[in-house]
Amino acid sequence: MGRYVARRLLQMIPVFIGTTLLIFLMVYSLPGDPIAALFGDKAADPATVARLRHEYGLDQPLLVQYWNYLTGLLQGDFGQSFTGRPVADLMADAFPVTIRLALFAFGIEVVLGIALGMLTGLKRGKFIDQLVLVLTLVVISIPVFVLGFLAQFFLGFKWGVITPTVQDSMNLGQLAVPAVVLGALSLAYVTRLTRTTVAENLRADYMRTALAKGLPTRRRIGVHLMRNSLIPVITFLGTDLGMLMGGAIVTEGIFNVQGVGNTLYRAIQTSEGPTVVGIVTVLVLVYLVASLVVDLLYAVLDPRIRYA
Amino acid sequence: MTTTEKTAAVSAPRTPEAAGSPLLQVRDLHVEFHTRDGVVKAVNGVNYSVSAGETLAVLGESGSGKSVTAQAIMGILDMPPAKIPQGEILFRGEDMLKMTVEQRRRVRGAKIAMIFQDALSSLNPVLSVGYQLGEMFRVHQGLSKKDAKAKAIELMDKVKIPAAKNRVGDYPHQFSGGMRQRIMIAMALALEPDLIIADEPTTALDVTVQAQVMDLLAELQREYHMGLILITHDLGVVADVADKIAVMYAGRIVENAPVRELYKNPAHPYTRGLLDSIPRLDQKGQELYAIKGLPPNLLHVPSGCAFNPRCPMAQDVCRTDVPALAKVADGRGSACHFWKETLHG
């Protein structure tokens, strides 16, 4: 187990270097000159431009720039954005918001998704099953921005239940609707996945044994069925947490949530290399750690899985 | 004579208080499955009985209804699609089909236990065997987790699992096939039930292990004086351990008899065919006998005797009339129009 974790952590190093390098190269090959953009419509003074370029290290070869960035990163320095603010500061503002939003969405998805999945799996073919199946299909087929705008239009403008955009990005009450929109797609997937595994395991031989043992229904479902059915669901949930963190760009944009998605979007638009690379780097790390945790959890739930 | 009277001859004395009064009596049991393609009549009027300390072997091919009958006794049929339109299952004189769901649950595992064919898939893969054994005591007797674990170790010792104490926390996949089946037996035995139903308990095992497991089962049955219903298609397994045999075909009992007499002189052409198809050392090199044809599709059971298309003795009457279970001798019956000819042929 210890060796497995060590190996997985070591494997993260090339993945980490590879992804950051790729992002770095892509961001700096984007069209447009960020330094020129700083001057807006005014004509840029060549001397100032050269000075700024030198200051940000933009006059050096790309690989040297990357090396400088990487060495800085290892010392905890994410560099400076072109507005002069340290990228670390930007992220310190944005990440707590996105983590809240993502965890909120994740909570909805886990609780509601598993509950609905269990219910429909146990009542397969009944009315409630059909209803939930159709609803999840609808959610899966609607793009998230449509869902977001619909929620904003009806709940925000028409009925005035919520403010159309989020005023205070740290306020959980205001984050509720964005969280539902963000989690809706995964909620539908979790429901369907749970339903399938529940229905499948319900027919398993060991469930017949549990019945023959005279166990009460609560125990048969709560202990014997749940443990087995949730194994694939947990795998999905683990990778999905990473997706929720990074995939909130659209939702955050619609509801004006000042999180990572919004910050990242603005940074891409203004060719803010250091900010983009910094945020993506952290997201990659989150993703890597999440998948490691899932793999470890997997073995806790299923004793047949051995680390090799 | 009614059907019930005929089987009474097969089973033990009728007065409930008499010695060896049947522990379990199945009377005129019918089970159907309502499927999209129609109604499958899996069990059509089965009668049998088991007394304490007695072993009844139920013999038959796949689809003969032997397992469905057992599942009906256990009360673990999926209803729907299964339905029991007719019949009684008397356990110690009480009809279990009339019990409430909760009463039925208390019987399961505690009074009547079942051993399944494939122990690997029948045990929960993600729970330790100690947990699964201990569960019996925790649910039925309210024992604490710790006491239940001690009981589980005791049980594992009882079924001769080496180093039970060290293995109580292991998972099913960490045991060999024979050991897993021992755990299934231990689980069935946990609450010292009156009756154990073993559904092909050795089919999934190696031949050498088969004998060990059967011996263990027989030994424990003697020790606890339990009734045992042994469901199998293996005539070799039956000969050593059973007291009496019921042969099933297409949802009916076609012959029942004490084990010796059935082997010596079968009274039904189907039983004769089964016995003739056992490979024998003194007939080495000769072609093995096989009953021609296939078991009937239960959606379209042939009219008359269900066995008639495959029967070497079939006459016109076999294609029109369903033969009743005729009394051949005390404790023997055969559902064949020509049982006399079969017996002496």
Side-chain angles (χ1 to χ4, degrees):
Chain A
M1 169 99 173
R3 280 183 62 178
Y4 175 78
V5 175
R7 222 181 52 220
R8 282 292 298 267
L9 289 173
L10 284 176
Q11 278 172 2
M12 283 184 189
I13 296 173
V15 175
F16 178 74
I17 292 177
T19 43
T20 47
L21 179 61
L22 271 179
I23 299 292
F24 201 85
L25 294 178
M26 280 196 275
V27 169
Y28 284 90
S29 61
L30 282 177
D33 182 348
I35 300 297
L38 283 176
F39 291 88
D41 289 340
K42 286 186 214 155
D45 163 31
T48 319
V49 168
R51 191 175 53 80
L52 278 171
R53 275 190 192 287
H54 182 71
E55 208 169 283
Y56 284 103
L58 294 177
D59 52 350
Q60 287 167 314
L62 205 50
L63 278 177
V64 176
Q65 287 185 42
Y66 175 70
W67 177 250
N68 291 338
Y69 181 77
L70 203 63
T71 46
L73 203 60
L74 290 178
Q75 292 154 25
D77 178 14
F78 280 92
Q80 267 192 351
S81 83
F82 294 136
T83 53
R85 261 191 97 190
V87 174
D89 273 11
L90 275 173
M91 290 200 288
D93 282 347
F95 265 102
V97 173
T98 293
I99 289 171
R100 269 169 186 246
L101 185 64
L103 285 182
F104 202 155
F106 191 66
I108 295 171
E109 160 186 344
V110 170
V111 175
L112 209 58
I114 290 178
L116 282 175
M118 291 289 289
L119 182 73
T120 51
L122 292 171
K123 306 254 177 214
R124 215 155 43 102
K126 302 273 170 59
F127 174 74
I128 179 80
D129 178 34
Q130 309 280 356
L131 181 74
V132 172
L133 269 187
V134 169
L135 285 180
T136 51
L137 190 64
V138 168
V139 171
I140 289 170
S141 9
I142 294 181
V144 66
F145 69 88
V146 175
L147 202 65
F149 280 126
L150 283 176
Q152 189 178 43
F153 178 72
F154 283 105
L155 295 173
F157 291 108
K158 207 140 191 209
W159 301 328
V161 185
I162 55 164
T163 51
T165 55
V166 172
Q167 311 298 314
D168 174 6
S169 293
M170 291 297 272
N171 183 322
L172 277 181
Q174 294 197 11
L175 285 180
V177 174
V180 171
V181 170
L182 179 62
L185 183 64
S186 303
L187 170 66
Y189 280 129
V190 170
T191 304
R192 284 180 160 240
L193 187 60
T194 311
R195 172 185 179 272
T196 310
T197 59
V198 163
E200 204 173 278
N201 281 295
L202 208 52
R203 286 196 304 267
D205 284 350
Y206 65 81
M207 285 305 289
R208 189 185 55 188
T209 308
L211 187 64
K213 282 163 88 175
L215 305 182
T217 311
R218 191 163 23 90
R219 190 172 186 87
R220 279 191 292 121
I221 291 169
V223 177
H224 288 260
L225 184 64
M226 274 278 253
R227 269 297 280 283
N228 283 284
S229 304
L230 288 189
I231 293 170
V233 179
I234 294 217
T235 321
F236 175 81
L237 286 176
T239 45
D240 196 55
L241 187 59
M243 298 279 280
L244 287 178
M245 297 273 292
I249 295 182
V250 175
T251 314
E252 288 188 359
I254 293 170
F255 292 100
N256 187 39
V257 178
Q258 297 305 314
V260 172
N262 244 339
T263 312
L264 188 61
Y265 183 65
R266 272 201 309 269
I268 293 171
Q269 277 187 322
T270 53
S271 299
E272 284 260 12
T275 315
V276 176
V277 181
I279 288 177
V280 174
T281 302
V282 173
L283 288 178
V284 167
L285 276 179
V286 168
Y287 209 88
L288 288 176
V289 171
S291 63
L292 176 60
V293 170
V294 167
D295 286 346
L296 294 179
L297 207 59
Y298 208 66
V300 172
L301 284 170
D302 191 343
R304 284 167 299 183
I305 291 170
R306 284 277 150 273
Y307 300 114
Chain B
M1 262 207 288
T2 67
T3 335
T4 328
E5 275 168 326
K6 274 176 206 149
T7 30
V10 178
S11 58
R14 296 198 69 189
T15 33
E17 266 67 47
S21 79
L23 193 63
L24 178 92
Q25 264 184 298
V26 178
R27 283 188 187 161
D28 194 27
L29 185 72
H30 290 252
V31 183
E32 337 174 307
F33 289 91
H34 291 252
T35 68
R36 229 173 283 173
D37 301 325
V39 178
V40 177
K41 294 188 170 172
V43 178
N44 300 299
V46 161
N47 291 281
Y48 61 58
S49 71
V50 194
S51 306
E54 189 179 44
T55 301
L56 165 74
V58 182
L59 206 69
E61 295 167 273
S62 333
S64 61
K66 57 192 197 302
S67 290
V68 174
T69 311
Q71 286 172 16
I73 295 170
M74 270 320 272
I76 57 171
L77 281 171
D78 269 334
M79 305 212 270
K83 220 174 143 179
I84 302 180
Q86 203 179 324
E88 286 179 326
I89 300 172
L90 304 178
F91 179 67
R92 294 191 174 284
E94 196 184 346
D95 187 359
M96 291 201 291
L97 295 177
K98 295 200 174 77
M99 287 183 177
T100 64
V101 173
E102 181 58 20
Q103 281 173 323
R104 202 80 200 273
R105 180 183 74 72
R106 285 175 196 281
V107 172
R108 275 200 292 269
K111 303 278 179 224
I112 306 179
M114 190 154 177
I115 299 167
F116 296 99
Q117 178 179 342
D118 183 358
L120 182 58
S121 64
S122 297
L123 291 166
N124 193 324
V126 303
L127 300 173
S128 73
V129 296
Y131 183 93
Q132 296 186 59
L133 288 169
E135 209 176 18
M136 297 296 284
F137 301 102
R138 289 171 63 195
V139 167
H140 288 279
Q141 298 180 343
L143 255 57
S144 72
K145 234 177 175 169
K146 202 178 137 217
D147 292 347
K149 191 181 163 192
K151 284 272 198 184
I153 296 173
E154 226 172 85
L155 274 173
M156 287 168 75
D157 270 332
K158 187 99 215 164
V159 295
K160 303 186 177 109
I161 292 174
K165 207 167 193 159
N166 301 324
R167 304 216 62 185
V168 70
D170 283 0
Y171 293 89
H173 71 276
Q174 292 168 298
F175 290 85
S176 68
M179 288 298 148
R180 276 197 290 266
Q181 196 54 281
R182 281 164 197 264
I183 288 161
M184 281 302 287
I185 292 174
M187 204 183 297
L189 215 68
L191 305 172
E192 299 182 16
D194 301 325
L195 177 70
I196 287 194
I197 303 173
D199 191 353
E200 312 232 4
T202 58
T203 307
L205 302 176
D206 290 343
V207 183
T208 46
V209 183
Q210 278 185 8
Q212 291 170 13
V213 169
M214 267 331 292
D215 287 347
L216 175 73
L217 199 56
E219 186 188 318
L220 293 167
Q221 184 209 4
R222 271 197 300 280
E223 187 181 333
Y224 291 100
H225 200 63
M226 298 175 296
L228 176 65
I229 298 178
L230 182 65
I231 296 162
T232 182
H233 61 250
D234 187 344
L235 284 149
V237 170
V238 172
D240 302 328
V241 292
D243 296 308
K244 55 186 191 184
I245 296 187
V247 181
M248 286 189 71
Y249 189 80
R252 289 174 200 277
I253 291 185
V254 292
E255 178 170 7
N256 56 19
V259 67
R260 262 168 195 279
E261 283 158 51
L262 184 128
Y263 273 80
K264 210 163 62 191
N265 203 354
H268 195 284
Y270 178 60
T271 319
R272 184 164 288 272
L274 285 180
L275 290 173
D276 285 345
S277 54
I278 302 176
R280 284 166 50 167
L281 277 178
D282 57 348
Q283 286 167 2
K284 206 171 154 188
Q286 293 176 32
E287 200 179 328
L288 194 60
Y289 176 80
I291 303 172
K292 63 175 185 182
L294 292 168
N297 176 348
L298 291 174
L299 274 168
H300 311 285
V301 179
S303 61
C305 172
F307 188 57
N308 83 68
R310 305 173 73 187
C311 183
M313 300 176 66
Q315 310 283 326
D316 285 344
V317 62
C318 300
R319 289 181 260 278
T320 50
D321 295 0
V322 180
L325 196 72
K327 183 176 168 180
V328 174
D330 271 348
R332 266 201 96 165
S334 167
C336 177
H337 294 298
F338 301 102
W339 64 266
K340 278 184 190 132
E341 289 80 346
T342 314
L343 200 59
H344 302 119

